[in-house]
Amino acid sequence: MTGGGLLVAGTTSDAGKSVVTAGICRWLVRQGVKVAPFKAQNMSLNSFVTREGAEIGRAQAMQAQACRIEPTALMNPVLLKPGSEQSSQVVLLGKPVGELSARGYHGGRQQRLLGTVLDCLATLRGTYDAVICEGAGSPAEINLRRTDIVNMGIARGARLPVLVVGDIDRGGVFASFFGTVALLSREDQELVAGFLVNKFRGDVSLLEPGLDMLHGLTGRRTYGVLPFRHGLGIDEEDGLRVSLRGTVRESAVSPPVGEDVLRVAVCAIPLMSNFTDVDALAAEPGVVVRFVDRPKELADADLVVVPGTRGTVRALEWLRERGLAEAIVRRAAEGRPVLGICGGFQILGEHIEDEVESRAGQVPGLGLLPVRVRFAREKTLARPTGEALGEQVEGYEIHHGVADVTGGEPFLDGCRAGRTWGTHWHGALESDGFRRAFLRAVAAAADRRFVPAGDTSFAALRERQLDRLGDLIEQHADTDALWRLIESGAPPGLPFIPPGAPA
């Protein structure tokens, strides 16, 4: 028997599809429904490694956690990892299969993957009571509809009802809802069941006349109005559009346990990947995390983090052009803490030999760690465990660079030299004991009277966030109507809104 399904589409990118999908998943699992997430195609530099060694988008890993199940490659069969403005690495069923330009991908390769993604969705629907699917961008991107496999292409192929999410905080939500439907073909419109308003501020009664008029214009109802809530950003789909100013994910900084706060500056390097690594630092009371792109912004930092990147050599050039490389080298010479993660670890080494990613050949690194890096064509995808600073650590690895560590003190799979640390492990800071031990070492090196909280559990904080998303759906959406959609599909007889998709 095939389980129920729903496609959560959006009027725009960043309308809230990932968060709404996670919220619906958490609401369903709390009702005893066996549910799984799905996104046919994801474009993201924030990825995760499943237990079977497959690379998928972190958003789908987060949604699987909302469902209280282990993520698998079936939940995100196609992942695109941008390497430039024009090309991306294509990851199929968790493994990289090559680089393609946007023209090459949309020119034929994408459409050939429709059968694969429909098979993955069918497998999930045969296993779970419900599968909540997330779209990408807007379903009304008429220039891409012919080859679409993630919005109406998957909805048509699997006969999924579609719920369109609109971010009212941006303005123009009524025009966006109407225009989205009106630019779809008659066959596509038959599957668009209705709308969900996201990030509403104020009195809902003032919005209701507009929702009634929208229903009159489109024949489609609104399934809920979700209020604006701070601090709900979890595992962003990608880092290309995220604001690099201010604190991470709107997170409020709790008062420090000790006398001092600890300031962390994260270098906002190009093609930054898995910037979610620093979320665990931002969750600690008294730790202030900000993204920076100017040397003077490092001056008061107690710790500088050089994060992962999809373009290690390009990021290294950027650091040098901005004067950040010189500032990092100078602070390391002064004994001030620096941490490099994945591509950032490679940048801190002696040299990089890259005939794979940038094809730049041998490039000198910053020389802060006794490490030489050679890029291999095969990508390392792993879920390592180990010990560092006397604490157990879990992480995950996603990299082409192979590091030859020739000295220093061992640190996870990398090393430490003085007060500079480097590792390929993503997610290590989510291990609570290790994070606290690392922050104590940073505070001592920075001469700060900072004390890590003894009871901060990153996993528990993540669970509370997911429950908040489930609460939003349960309290502000018509859950009975949502379940009817998931179980029975789009209502019959939905009217066609002209002009429809262009020929």
Side-chain angles (χ1 to χ4, degrees):
M1 180 178 175
T2 299
L6 175 71
L7 176 68
V8 179
T11 56
T12 61
S13 296
D14 300 327
K17 297 183 293 291
S18 296
V19 166
V20 167
T21 300
I24 293 174
C25 287
R26 178 49 62 102
W27 159 65
L28 285 172
V29 81
R30 293 194 309 206
Q31 309 309 307
V33 177
K34 190 180 177 185
V35 59
F38 180 80
K39 184 163 186 172
Q41 172 195 294
N42 201 346
M43 177 172 279
S44 180
L45 288 171
N46 281 337
S47 57
F48 182 76
V49 179
T50 67
R51 295 209 178 274
E52 69 267 28
E55 185 180 9
I56 65 171
R58 272 199 68 104
Q60 279 61 65
M62 173 269 293
Q63 290 160 359
Q65 186 175 346
C67 298
R68 298 183 177 138
I69 58 176
E70 276 290 325
T72 73
L74 291 174
M75 298 170 186
N76 179 206
V78 181
L79 173 64
L80 304 179
K81 302 195 73 177
S84 70
E85 297 293 333
Q86 300 295 329
S87 67
S88 295
Q89 183 180 66
V90 181
V91 179
L92 179 61
L93 293 173
K95 304 297 180 183
V97 294
E99 296 272 341
L100 276 180
S101 67
R103 182 181 294 274
Y105 183 68
H106 291 288
R109 179 65 183 268
Q110 183 184 36
Q111 183 64 24
R112 292 197 295 272
L113 295 173
L114 180 59
T116 299
V117 301
L118 285 172
D119 287 346
C120 291
L121 177 56
T123 300
L124 289 173
R125 294 183 77 181
T127 307
Y128 292 90
D129 301 329
V131 179
I132 308 303
C133 307
E134 180 188 342
S138 161
E141 291 168 350
I142 54 180
N143 55 315
L144 302 177
R145 176 62 185 94
R146 182 177 60 84
T147 58
D148 169 53
I149 65 170
V150 66
N151 289 307
M152 300 313 300
I154 196 80
R156 285 269 291 277
R159 302 306 298 171
L160 293 171
V162 178
L163 182 70
V164 180
V165 177
D167 180 355
I168 197 169
D169 198 47
R170 295 181 174 192
V173 73
F174 292 117
S176 298
F177 281 146
F178 183 88
T180 296
V181 179
L183 280 177
L184 299 178
S185 68
R186 185 181 297 274
E187 294 79 9
D188 286 351
Q189 287 191 25
E190 289 173 357
L191 295 173
V192 178
F195 314 107
L196 186 76
V197 176
N198 191 29
K199 295 186 181 180
F200 179 72
R201 306 172 192 251
D203 185 345
V204 176
S205 66
L206 299 177
L207 187 67
E208 287 171 349
L211 300 179
D212 291 341
M213 286 185 273
L214 182 67
H215 184 231
L217 288 166
T218 67
R220 289 157 175 85
R221 58 166 297 179
T222 298
Y223 285 77
V225 178
L226 306 186
F228 187 95
R229 290 286 187 267
H230 284 286
L232 287 181
I234 46 180
D235 290 9
E236 302 279 354
E237 180 176 282
D238 67 64
L240 298 180
R241 289 178 297 275
V242 71
S243 169
L244 300 179
R245 296 286 177 185
T247 55
V248 180
R249 297 298 187 287
E250 304 173 336
S251 52
V253 179
S254 301
V257 176
E259 295 181 44
D260 290 342
V261 299
L262 207 64
R263 295 173 176 84
V264 179
V266 184
C267 296
I269 55 180
L271 297 173
M272 182 170 49
S273 62
N274 286 65
F275 59 86
T276 49
D277 283 331
V278 300
D279 282 0
L281 295 179
E284 282 285 345
V287 176
V288 181
V289 178
R290 64 186 188 275
F291 291 95
V292 303
D293 57 11
R294 290 172 289 189
K296 65 181 183 181
E297 295 176 304
L298 304 187
D300 67 343
D302 302 306
L303 171 68
V304 168
V305 178
V306 186
T309 173
R310 173 80 167 86
T312 301
V313 171
R314 178 179 168 188
L316 179 55
E317 292 170 349
W318 181 86
L319 288 169
R320 287 187 165 122
E321 290 166 359
R322 305 283 297 190
L324 283 161
E326 182 182 353
I328 292 169
V329 170
R330 186 168 57 249
R331 67 176 285 126
E334 295 168 353
R336 303 174 68 194
V338 177
L339 171 65
I341 302 174
C342 200
F345 167 42
Q346 297 164 10
I347 284 169
L348 299 182
E350 294 171 354
H351 74 251
I352 299 164
E353 186 181 333
D354 181 10
E355 299 294 349
V356 176
E357 194 174 75
S358 67
R359 298 182 177 86
Q362 188 158 307
V363 178
L366 298 189
L368 302 182
L369 292 174
V371 176
R372 297 171 183 174
V373 176
R374 176 185 54 81
F375 272 65
R377 296 199 175 276
E378 186 173 345
K379 181 185 282 190
T380 297
L381 296 169
R383 289 279 293 270
T385 60
E387 184 178 309
L389 304 179
E391 299 286 346
Q392 293 299 308
V393 191
E394 296 182 5
Y396 57 99
E397 294 183 66
I398 306 168
H399 53 91
H400 284 280
V402 178
D404 178 19
V405 179
T406 60
E409 301 174 35
F411 179 70
L412 301 176
D413 69 329
C415 65
R416 172 184 179 176
R419 289 167 176 172
T420 299
W421 295 264
T423 177
H424 272 133
W425 290 22
H426 295 290
L429 293 165
E430 295 179 17
S431 297
D432 297 327
F434 167 71
R435 181 180 65 255
R436 287 192 278 269
F438 178 72
L439 288 174
R440 280 193 292 269
V442 168
D447 197 25
R448 293 287 186 190
R449 290 171 293 184
F450 169 84
V451 179
D455 59 352
T456 301
S457 167
F458 187 73
L461 288 171
R462 177 64 54 84
E463 275 296 300
R464 286 202 290 273
Q465 279 187 308
L466 292 171
D467 276 331
R468 288 181 69 198
L469 296 182
D471 292 343
L472 272 182
I473 297 299
E474 189 169 329
Q475 296 168 11
H476 300 283
D478 186 337
T479 51
D480 289 341
L482 270 181
W483 178 245
R484 285 194 296 272
L485 269 189
I486 293 166
E487 194 174 37
S488 305
L494 292 169
F496 171 71
I497 308 302

